[in-house]
Amino acid sequence: MKAVVCRSPGDLVLENRAEPGAPPPGWARIAVSHVGICGTDYHIFEGKHPFLAYPRIMGHEVSGTVVERGDGVELAIGEPVIINPYLACGQCVACRHGKPNCCVRIEVLGVHRDGAMCDEILVPAQNLYPANGLSLGDAAAVEFLAIGAHAVRRSLSAPGQRTLIIGAGPIGLGTALFARIAGLDVSLLDMSTERLAFAESELGFAALDGSKAQAADLVRQASGGEGFDLVFDATGNTQSVQSAFTHVAHGGALVLVSVVKDDITFSDPEFHKREMTLVGSRNALRADFDHVAASIRNGAVPLEKLVTHRTTLADTPRDLARWAHEKSGLIKAVIEVG
């Protein structure tokens, strides 16, 4: 089969690889249809991912079709599926408490093990969700949107709360969309005038342009000096995360959607006097995938605006390398495999 392989940082090639073979019990063989390109994939290509062994087939935002079943798998041959790329052990403390998204021994397709930038892949049946009428193109977008949907659910928000999303990349935009679906009053803060213009004109969000004024001043102005009830940081930037503590209103919450490699420090007196809640959010659960899929079906998510770039498996080495540096106009790129 054909596979796009990142052999080392900056070295992305199309190779012939052995087909995955027959699925073991409880697994299915999937013909890959569409793969979204994530910020993680760009980081792997650029050599910025801290926990990765090369060579690696990337790709964890995936849709496909069941072509072969292992023993005990009830999905029908030909079933279109959404793939949950978080492979959990099922036995650790997180899994026992219904949180396989933060499994102690989690393996994410395309990161800890080879992913779906290829013709076929083996996946545990428990990680395959019937698309139930979604097109395979739309089904490949469910995973990246589920990250934001999970973060909103983790926030224990209430309708009407003033909400700030920091970072207008794909994850931030997804978080903003599902915050709005939850009834929150959403504003977006970013340093990119272009991305904020997209969020404002195409998606209807209030925009705070951090390239034109200090973030603290923008937050004070937008919140009447009180801060935001909920703040989500989706930047992956250490300085932004640390600054986000000061944007939270008394009694409010800060949700860390993105991950940074550095230690995060904050003023304990400022944290305590606000009686703040600090929430970590990692990956997503089946309930989040289902919520996203339903929201796409009912038209609440304008995927036609979010997917701005498309390519093929053969052209991915060229295009992914280019898009890693040419970000203008890029929101979400999708590889059309099948």
Side-chain angles (χ1 to χ4, degrees):
M1 68 174 183
K2 297 294 184 183
V4 173
V5 182
C6 192
R7 297 191 295 201
S8 61
D11 183 12
L12 194 63
V13 297
L14 185 70
E15 288 185 357
N16 287 313
R17 284 286 186 101
E19 294 180 350
W27 290 56
R29 182 164 59 93
I30 304 300
V32 177
S33 177
H34 291 72
V35 182
I37 301 176
C38 176
T40 298
D41 300 320
Y42 295 119
H43 291 156
I44 292 170
F45 171 72
E46 294 171 324
K48 297 178 181 178
H49 198 286
F51 308 112
L52 188 110
Y54 297 91
R56 176 65 70 227
I57 299 174
M58 299 181 292
H60 61 272
E61 301 175 7
V62 195
S63 67
T65 303
V66 177
V67 293
E68 187 177 1
R69 301 171 298 185
D71 291 344
V73 176
E74 297 181 356
L75 290 163
I77 300 298
E79 178 88 62
V81 291
I82 302 160
I83 294 179
N84 178 336
Y86 323 127
L87 276 59
C89 73
Q91 300 173 343
C92 71
V93 60
C95 290
R96 295 197 308 271
H97 287 90
K99 295 178 67 69
N101 60 306
C102 58
C103 168
V104 172
R105 291 178 285 276
I106 198 167
E107 290 188 303
V108 180
L109 296 177
V111 181
H112 306 98
R113 60 191 296 158
D114 282 342
M117 290 188 189
C118 56
D119 290 324
E120 294 185 345
I121 189 170
L122 298 181
V123 182
Q126 66 186 13
N127 289 71
L128 300 173
Y129 309 149
N132 287 336
L134 283 187
S135 72
L136 283 167
D138 288 352
V142 171
E143 189 275 339
F144 95 85
L145 292 168
I147 301 293
H150 183 71
V152 171
R153 192 159 61 89
R154 288 274 294 149
S155 73
L156 301 178
S157 59
Q161 287 183 305
R162 283 189 302 204
T163 301
L164 179 67
I165 313 294
I166 309 174
I171 299 300
L173 291 174
T175 304
L177 285 167
F178 281 89
R180 183 163 65 190
I181 289 169
L184 306 182
D185 179 12
V186 181
S187 299
L188 273 161
L189 170 64
D190 200 280
M191 296 292 290
S192 170
T193 299
E194 180 185 31
R195 286 202 164 176
L196 288 175
F198 172 87
E200 194 168 28
S201 64
E202 299 298 320
L203 302 179
F205 290 112
L208 308 182
D209 192 340
S211 71
K212 296 181 178 178
Q214 293 294 317
D217 294 333
L218 293 170
V219 168
R220 275 194 297 270
Q221 183 178 2
S223 65
E226 292 183 332
F228 283 83
D229 303 312
L230 291 172
V231 177
F232 296 80
D233 192 284
T235 63
N237 179 280
T238 301
Q239 184 176 351
S240 174
V241 173
Q242 294 187 161
S243 298
F245 284 81
T246 64
H247 303 332
V248 180
H250 282 236
L254 172 60
V255 184
L256 303 185
V257 189
S258 59
V259 180
V260 298
K261 294 189 291 184
D262 305 307
D263 292 341
I264 299 299
T265 61
F266 57 91
S267 166
D268 186 63
E270 290 295 322
F271 179 80
H272 268 85
K273 80 178 185 181
R274 287 170 167 80
E275 198 181 52
M276 276 178 60
T277 300
L278 178 61
V279 180
S281 183
R282 186 183 185 191
N283 299 327
L285 292 167
R286 173 68 186 264
D288 306 305
F289 280 76
D290 290 345
H291 178 36
V292 170
S295 299
I296 295 172
R297 289 189 198 97
N298 68 24
V301 179
L303 277 180
E304 72 283 355
K305 295 179 179 180
L306 296 176
V307 178
T308 56
H309 292 54
R310 297 181 185 275
T311 189
T312 64
L313 200 62
D315 291 337
T316 294
R318 176 197 68 196
D319 289 338
L320 191 151
R322 177 162 54 89
W323 295 333
H325 306 288
E326 296 178 10
K327 300 293 189 184
S328 181
L330 174 65
I331 302 296
K332 172 59 64 174
V334 173
I335 305 166
E336 297 174 343
V337 179

